[in-house]
Amino acid sequence: MDNSYCSCCFNNNVMDMNNNIEKKWQTEWKNNHVFESKIDNNRPKFFVTVPWPYTNGSLHVGHGRTYTLGDIIARYKRLEGYNVLFPMGFHESGTPILAFSERLRENDPDTIKLYRSYLEEYEEKGNIDRLIESFKEPENIANYFADKIINDFTALGYSIDWTRRFTSADADYQEIVKWQFKKLKDLNLIKQGNYPILYSIKDENAVGEDDIKDGDVDKVTIEEYTGLILENDDFNLIAASVRPETIFGITNAWISNSLYTIFEYNNKHYAVSKEAFTKLSYQYNIKFVKDIKPDEITSRKFKVPLLNEYIDVYIADFVDPDNATGVVYSVPGHAIYDYYYIKKLGLKLNIKKVIAIDNISVEKLLERYGYEEKSLKEATQELYKAEYYNGILINSGNYSGLSVKDARDKIKNDLISSGKAIIVYETSRKAVTRSGSKVIVAVINGQWFIDYSQPWLKKKTHEMIDEMAFYPEFYRKIMADAIDWLRERPCARKRGIGTRLPFDNEWVIESLSDSTIYMVGYTNLKYLRNIYNELGEIPDEILNYVYLNGDFPENYKKFREDIQMARNEFNYWYGVDLRITAPPHISNHLSFYLMNHAAIFEKDKYPKGLIISGLVISNGAKISKSKGNVISLLKIKEKYSADIYRLFVAVGADISSLLDWNEKDLSAVIKRYESFIDIMNNFEFKNDDGFIYKWFASRFYSNLNDYFNLMASYKIRDAYISIFYNVLNDIKHLELRHGDVNAAVSMILKDWLIALSPVIPHTCEEYWHRYIENSFVSLKTLDKNIANRIDNYTIESENYIENLINDIREIKRAAKISGSGALITVYGDDQEYFIKNYNNLTGKFKIAIPDYMKNKQRIMNKMIDEYAIINENIDYIQEMTSLKIEVNRSNKIDKKNPWPGRPLIRII
RNA sequence: GCGGAGAUUGCCGAGCCAGGACAAAGGCGAUGGAUUCAGGGUCCAUUUCCGCAGGGAUUCGGGGGUUCAAAUCCCCCUCUCCGCACCA
């Protein structure tokens, strides 16, 4: 708590300076068009994308991580000499913006509060009401926040080429989406069918997880029941079950003591509970006939299909009329409830066994759990599970001998195809929307799907995945599994912002499906736009030519220049070399992204790499409004500056792991950054040489080498620990050695600023201009050929000195003595001879073998001139140990010897 | 249930894929010291235990195995986290 004090001090000084500096360079970059990418055939290209943000509100720390990683990588790739394209656009498709706008129109207090909180960060108090009023028009929300996000991204120093910006609501972009869907249809990947969804009768709308009360903590899913038709000449009864394989064990049926409804379906009459009728009317085209009392059912007998026997119906209070059809059939041989109630009601029924399984049965379970109502549920679960995994059907006609698993699907399908059963959908639990209206399952007729189940498409996508790069690697398998798991996916809905299906105007393409290949637009939409503006469409012939190397569209040759540019830009930049996203996208966006590319494009346009970064939490908790730990990007850059945020994102956690945004870790990063600023502000060019400068330069290039190697696999954190933290530590060490910091930094400043610039670009740009030259460090490249600048002999020598000092200290501590001096004996000719001729030693040398073996682990294999090195650094050793140091060379081999890297030390 | 990730020394968190110099990086915290210093700054040292000579003992969720050698490889167990669809 108290150290908030110190970050305040920091805020006042460095922070203000930083904000000015940052704005200055952002303006310079923009005015000089530094990050606007152009085709350059002399350089390899690198196309990096992050998902376009959804514009229904402002972004927070969590969102910022992915974008910041994208920018760091874009900048690093420039530094490596690539021609980089790092674009951005905005997502406006789908229902949320529409829904928020609607709620504002209804003056919903929560929504008003939410938007007020967004706006308070950006606007003067006086403007807020006016803006909220304007948000009643959905596009005003989208436009407002798109602008704010551009500002935020600019303020964080992102090197985005904004000239290529577009949104998913732009009419010209939507021409590409339409073209894409026509392609998918040509490939037979578009289908139509019935589809169950969660639905609110009162709202007359589909409901998502977010709309359901406690939907995030207790998920609601759609359950599929088999509605078995029990026949009677007056009317049929529909009994719902999740275990159709037990049909041969039916002895009776149960209903509740409540109202039932008779309806007409395909000219026949059926009865279900009154509640069930309402729900079924959203699943089937049925007509109300009349309500009846339960005794109209219990007074009749009904015939069970397949079994071909007539059964009685009884009233039981465990039957819930508001679950499925409100009618259940009874299999006392294999259902705990049924058995219990038959005994309880004293019914004389012939209990049949139709599943063979060892060591478990209804009777045994009831004995174990006790004949009590409260334990029935638990016993049921145990029984169902055991029978499902281990049961074999018996006494079940043609189905005898099948496993329960197999029989379930087979009997269900046979019943449905012969008209003896229908599918009945029900929610997995009773659920209501946030506004309190009941959630049921409705079946949408004529729903459009993309069929991702096609084997040829899965195969192609798997081949793509095999070729791609994944960071971290383990996501390759997760991605492949997600592809296998994908089936038909609804791709359109009746409302929301987006593109209309080109072959069915009633439907709007669903928001994730319209954004699977949108990155193509970054390469060339600005040229296609010219065509759209004139024609009001972008004809397929043009897009086929541009994206699929089709024939030149002679009909449109007056647009030859734009068409040619669009095609060149696409062929030069596409495919996406690296896409950076987060884990929640794997089973949806990323799967569609890969599969749509596999379906439509040639291999050389496939995605080439994927980074999946970890989540961001804030102060140890998931970021959410309710926890009050949402920190907007705007606030971050105001409070900490862009470079500090970027540095924290880079070094705060490994790319794949959880990043916790918290004051403590942050202040550690700030401390290091401040010491860098300190060095830089006090810098002036100086010349000096000597051992420690040689060491420092070697260490720097060794760190730089590590940086290159680590960045090659996007280990950004480790790379910056090398080039930032390690170098700062070396500078501290150099000070301890009484080296001149400025002289040392003079040797490496240019390369250091370039290497740091991807993470702290503003800071680097500032010092680059101040000390180096008037050009943009953001566009400089670094030479990787630095092996000759690393002098390992010097590095090892310094290590040797440090080890020596540590040994002397340890001896002093362990021996609890404090002499005034130390005599150091380093290895001599005899020891050197010993090591070189270890395999055929003779005479006097044999005496040293035990000593050599004992110390072997710490003997350096490379020999350095220890005598000279100690003498060269003797002042430092004396200072660090507070001992007067004397050195000599060993002149004989003995029982106890100094060895390379392991001198003898005697405190005197 | 299915699939995935993980459990490391006070805390956070590297290392594990390619076994050996690992008592195990780094940060935070703690302790001692330095700094013409009055204790929120900076620097140095220590931070599993034992040790009057640079050493030894015991550790990396639990158990077993492979190996000259295991935090690292194999098997079993326990526990934690994440995803499972129409929602951007």
Side-chain angles (χ1 to χ4, degrees):
Chain A
M1 263 195 204
D2 277 355
N3 43 1
S4 59
Y5 235 72
C6 100
S7 46
C8 270
C9 299
F10 185 68
N11 277 345
N12 295 339
N13 307 320
V14 183
M15 217 63 336
D16 286 352
M17 187 186 87
N18 260 23
N19 275 325
N20 291 334
I21 285 174
E22 289 180 349
K23 202 157 284 165
K24 175 168 81 183
W25 294 114
Q26 285 151 14
T27 311
E28 287 287 317
W29 291 330
K30 189 179 173 197
N31 291 344
N32 291 284
H33 309 283
V34 168
F35 302 120
E36 293 172 18
S37 308
K38 302 215 164 44
I39 292 178
D40 176 356
N41 287 312
N42 296 319
R43 282 190 292 161
K45 66 93 184 178
F46 193 84
F47 184 22
V48 53
T49 66
V50 292
W52 47 7
Y54 191 72
T55 49
N56 68 328
S58 55
L59 301 178
H60 60 65
V61 244
H63 301 117
R65 186 185 194 187
T66 311
Y67 303 117
T68 302
L69 290 174
D71 186 58
I72 290 171
I73 288 166
R75 286 173 176 275
Y76 177 75
K77 284 289 167 183
R78 282 189 202 100
L79 168 163
E80 277 196 306
Y82 285 92
N83 187 21
V84 171
L85 174 58
F86 180 42
M88 186 66 70
F90 296 100
H91 197 204
E92 301 179 359
S93 315
T95 46
I97 291 178
L98 224 53
F100 280 125
S101 189
E102 210 165 274
R103 275 180 232 166
L104 287 175
R105 255 174 277 149
E106 289 163 2
N107 292 317
D108 173 61
D110 287 344
T111 311
I112 293 173
K113 209 174 127 197
L114 177 72
Y115 276 88
R116 205 170 272 285
S117 78
Y118 287 143
L119 289 172
E120 273 163 0
E121 290 192 355
Y122 292 105
E123 300 291 339
E124 304 281 318
K125 274 213 152 42
N127 291 332
I128 291 177
D129 287 336
R130 184 178 53 77
L131 281 164
I132 287 189
E133 189 59 34
S134 78
F135 287 172
K136 293 180 178 176
E137 210 47 62
E139 69 226 48
N140 290 336
I141 298 185
N143 291 337
Y144 179 85
F145 287 104
D147 278 354
K148 292 304 158 194
I149 291 169
I150 292 175
N151 288 343
D152 288 351
F153 282 0
T154 304
L156 286 168
Y158 294 166
S159 56
I160 290 167
D161 179 355
W162 287 110
T163 65
R164 294 168 186 267
R165 165 196 171 200
F166 62 96
T167 85
S168 64
D170 292 353
D172 41 26
Y173 167 68
Q174 295 189 342
E175 290 295 299
I176 298 177
V177 178
K178 286 183 198 161
W179 171 81
Q180 176 194 355
F181 269 77
K182 283 182 247 174
K183 287 284 153 221
L184 294 175
K185 194 146 197 288
D186 292 346
L187 290 163
N188 277 325
L189 289 172
I190 304 286
K191 298 203 165 144
Q192 223 176 352
N194 296 338
Y195 191 71
I197 54 163
L198 295 174
Y199 188 86
S200 156
I201 297 172
K202 185 171 159 264
D203 304 338
E204 295 182 344
N205 228 320
V207 293
E209 186 180 290
D210 292 344
D211 304 320
I212 296 169
K213 189 161 180 257
D214 300 324
D216 47 344
V217 284
D218 186 5
K219 256 179 90 72
V220 179
T221 55
I222 295 170
E223 308 254 286
E224 195 181 299
Y225 286 76
T226 302
L228 186 66
I229 296 168
L230 304 174
E231 293 165 331
N232 178 283
D233 291 340
D234 302 326
F235 58 85
N236 300 323
L237 199 54
I238 303 178
S241 171
V242 289
R243 303 178 77 208
E245 74 278 8
T246 58
I247 187 167
F248 289 93
I250 295 176
T251 59
N252 64 298
W254 307 109
I255 58 171
S256 82
N257 191 13
S258 61
L259 272 187
Y260 278 69
T261 300
I262 292 185
F263 65 82
E264 190 189 311
Y265 176 59
N266 289 344
N267 299 320
K268 283 189 183 152
H269 285 112
Y270 299 87
V272 295
S273 69
K274 192 166 170 52
E275 292 86 341
F277 168 74
T278 310
K279 287 186 274 188
L280 275 179
S281 69
Y282 286 88
Q283 298 178 13
Y284 291 96
N285 190 10
I286 58 179
K287 233 164 61 199
F288 175 85
V289 176
K290 62 173 176 181
D291 286 337
I292 52 171
K293 296 232 169 77
D295 59 6
E296 297 217 34
I297 296 171
T298 52
S299 59
R300 291 174 164 84
K301 277 183 180 288
F302 293 85
K303 193 175 98 181
V304 180
L306 288 180
L307 185 64
N308 279 325
E309 284 176 20
Y310 279 89
I311 56 165
D312 288 315
V313 180
Y314 304 100
I315 288 175
D317 52 19
F318 73 92
V319 176
D320 178 0
D322 194 19
N323 186 38
T325 58
V327 181
V328 291
Y329 63 67
S330 165
V331 185
H334 298 283
I336 304 282
Y337 278 96
D338 297 339
Y339 186 90
Y340 176 85
Y341 273 88
I342 280 172
K343 293 289 166 201
K344 191 176 163 189
L345 299 173
L347 300 174
K348 297 274 180 292
L349 291 166
N350 180 23
I351 294 174
K352 288 175 278 190
K353 292 287 177 190
V354 293
I355 295 169
I357 183 168
D358 293 337
N359 300 324
I360 194 161
S361 69
V362 172
E363 295 83 353
K364 280 184 193 161
L365 277 166
L366 273 170
E367 221 144 88
R368 176 142 61 82
Y369 280 94
Y371 280 81
E372 286 172 72
E373 225 149 309
K374 61 177 167 48
S375 39
L376 296 181
K377 204 171 172 185
E378 214 175 318
T380 296
Q381 265 169 9
E382 190 175 335
L383 181 72
Y384 281 16
K385 205 166 151 185
E387 290 187 339
Y388 181 71
Y389 288 108
N390 304 314
I392 304 287
L393 259 65
I394 52 170
N395 305 324
S396 297
N398 292 335
Y399 302 97
S400 297
L402 288 176
S403 71
V404 168
K405 254 188 207 175
D406 297 339
R408 179 170 299 177
D409 285 340
K410 194 159 178 4
I411 292 178
K412 181 178 94 179
N413 292 335
D414 288 353
L415 285 169
I416 290 170
S417 58
S418 62
K420 302 293 184 193
I422 59 167
I423 287 176
V424 174
Y425 293 106
E426 181 57 285
T427 55
S428 58
R429 67 169 173 90
K430 296 257 160 70
V432 294
T433 64
R434 289 188 193 283
S435 55
S437 58
K438 191 169 163 183
V439 174
I440 64 154
V441 179
V443 170
I444 302 283
N445 293 311
Q447 170 71 53
W448 289 97
F449 296 90
I450 298 179
D451 182 6
Y452 286 119
S453 67
Q454 297 286 326
W456 66 267
L457 183 54
K458 291 204 192 238
K459 183 163 171 276
K460 266 180 125 176
T461 313
H462 280 303
E463 283 164 11
M464 174 195 285
I465 289 174
D466 291 343
E467 301 274 309
M468 283 173 66
F470 284 85
Y471 310 95
E473 174 62 35
F474 67 79
Y475 279 112
R476 184 189 305 278
K477 177 160 173 21
I478 297 178
M479 197 68 241
D481 286 350
I483 299 300
D484 285 336
W485 161 86
L486 214 57
R487 344 182 272 259
E488 292 89 1
R489 210 248 178 205
C491 64
R493 32 197 325 191
K494 288 285 172 79
R495 55 182 229 128
I497 299 170
T499 310
R500 298 219 162 251
L501 261 184
F503 36 82
D504 187 347
N505 228 358
E506 297 269 287
W507 295 82
V508 177
I509 293 169
E510 177 274 330
S511 57
L512 286 181
S513 300
D514 83 352
S515 305
T516 59
I517 61 160
Y518 70 96
M519 314 82 191
V520 301
Y522 291 134
T523 67
N524 60 12
L525 188 61
K526 56 178 165 183
Y527 298 103
L528 297 175
R529 186 170 292 144
N530 297 335
I531 300 169
Y532 179 84
N533 287 342
E534 206 153 317
L535 293 180
E537 62 164 341
I538 307 179
D540 290 349
E541 296 97 300
I542 292 177
L543 293 175
N544 286 339
Y545 175 73
V546 167
Y547 290 128
L548 300 176
N549 289 324
D551 295 331
F552 183 82
E554 293 298 338
N555 294 341
Y556 302 99
K557 60 183 172 217
K558 69 178 225 184
F559 300 112
R560 183 178 291 276
E561 208 173 307
D562 281 322
I563 292 173
Q564 207 53 52
M565 277 312 292
R567 172 158 148 151
N568 291 350
E569 290 263 347
F570 176 71
N571 280 334
Y572 178 78
W573 294 111
Y574 223 65
V576 180
D577 293 283
L578 191 65
R579 183 157 180 83
I580 304 159
T581 73
H585 285 146
I586 292 169
S587 63
N588 45 64
H589 167 68
L590 284 175
S591 296
F592 311 151
Y593 166 63
L594 299 187
M595 292 191 95
N596 280 282
H597 276 88
I600 294 173
F601 292 105
E602 294 295 316
K603 265 203 162 116
D604 65 324
K605 300 292 189 287
Y606 281 5
K608 293 173 177 55
L610 209 53
I611 285 183
I612 295 171
S613 74
L615 285 173
V616 179
I617 56 175
S618 168
N619 294 300
K622 215 172 182 171
I623 298 175
S624 76
K625 283 263 172 215
S626 60
K627 295 202 172 66
N629 62 354
V630 180
I631 303 159
S632 71
L633 286 183
L634 180 81
K635 261 196 199 137
I636 284 167
K637 76 119 213 282
E638 281 175 353
K639 196 168 170 200
Y640 301 98
S641 88
D643 278 357
I644 283 172
Y645 175 68
R646 299 171 63 105
L647 188 58
F648 187 78
V649 168
V651 300
D654 187 75
I655 212 165
S656 64
S657 44
L658 200 80
L659 176 68
D660 186 7
W661 178 265
N662 65 75
E663 293 288 333
K664 209 174 90 178
D665 290 351
L666 201 56
S667 71
V669 169
I670 293 174
K671 229 154 68 178
R672 288 310 192 92
Y673 176 78
E674 270 184 306
S675 67
F676 174 74
I677 294 298
D678 225 44
I679 291 166
M680 283 298 133
N681 283 342
N682 295 316
F683 177 77
E684 55 181 338
F685 274 103
K686 253 191 186 169
N687 239 324
D688 209 339
D689 57 7
F691 175 81
I692 202 62
Y693 296 105
K694 246 166 79 185
W695 167 83
F696 178 77
S698 286
R699 282 277 301 175
F700 175 80
Y701 285 102
S702 167
N703 276 317
L704 186 61
N705 201 43
D706 291 345
Y707 163 86
F708 286 136
N709 290 334
L710 291 162
M711 284 303 285
S713 48
Y714 303 115
K715 293 191 169 144
I716 296 173
R717 176 174 185 258
D718 293 335
Y720 276 82
I721 284 174
S722 283
I723 202 62
F724 189 60
Y725 284 23
N726 286 356
V727 174
L728 285 174
N729 285 344
D730 285 350
I731 290 175
K732 273 181 195 159
H733 185 70
L734 178 112
E735 276 185 295
L736 197 69
R737 299 285 257 112
H738 305 297
D740 185 297
V741 174
N742 284 340
V745 172
S746 295
M747 297 189 290
I748 56 125
L749 180 65
K750 219 172 150 172
D751 289 342
W752 201 24
L753 288 176
I754 297 173
L756 292 175
S757 67
V759 168
I760 47 170
H762 310 90
T763 312
C764 290
E765 205 67 82
E766 175 70 17
Y767 294 117
W768 179 268
H769 285 258
R770 194 182 299 177
Y771 298 124
I772 309 287
E773 62 181 37
N774 191 19
S775 64
F776 289 108
V777 70
S778 300
L779 293 179
K780 294 290 163 202
T781 58
L782 260 186
D783 186 5
K784 284 189 180 175
N785 224 335
I786 50 171
N788 60 339
R789 307 174 85 158
I790 302 167
D791 176 4
N792 285 315
Y793 187 88
T794 309
I795 293 176
E796 275 160 32
S797 301
E798 181 64 13
N799 280 342
Y800 174 79
I801 300 285
E802 287 306 309
N803 285 337
L804 178 66
I805 292 169
N806 281 335
D807 276 353
I808 295 172
R809 279 178 171 154
E810 182 153 358
I811 291 168
K812 279 174 73 180
R813 187 177 62 250
K816 296 200 172 76
I817 52 167
S818 47
S820 59
L823 177 65
I824 296 164
T825 310
V826 302
Y827 74 92
D829 296 342
D830 280 353
Q831 285 84 15
E832 194 172 337
Y833 177 90
F834 177 98
I835 290 171
K836 285 183 174 152
N837 299 284
Y838 181 70
N839 288 320
N840 41 5
L841 292 170
T842 53
K844 65 170 182 178
F845 289 102
K846 289 193 164 173
I847 196 178
I849 291 176
D851 185 39
Y852 176 77
M853 291 309 291
K854 190 179 159 206
N855 290 296
K856 201 173 171 211
Q857 289 212 324
R858 291 207 39 190
I859 295 174
M860 278 164 53
N861 7 353
K862 226 166 128 191
M863 294 184 205
I864 56 176
D865 187 348
E866 299 182 5
Y867 184 79
I869 288 159
I870 294 174
N871 273 316
E872 195 176 343
N873 295 286
I874 199 153
D875 291 344
Y876 172 63
I877 302 169
Q878 294 187 151
E879 183 190 345
M880 297 311 288
T881 57
S882 314
L883 294 172
K884 177 102 184 77
I885 303 293
E886 273 180 65
V887 208
N888 60 26
R889 262 205 189 87
S890 166
N891 53 14
K892 62 167 191 204
I893 197 97
D894 211 334
K895 274 187 175 169
K896 195 162 164 58
N897 293 281
W899 299 103
R902 189 97 177 117
L904 286 177
I905 300 163
R906 176 197 289 269
I907 310 286
I908 43 180

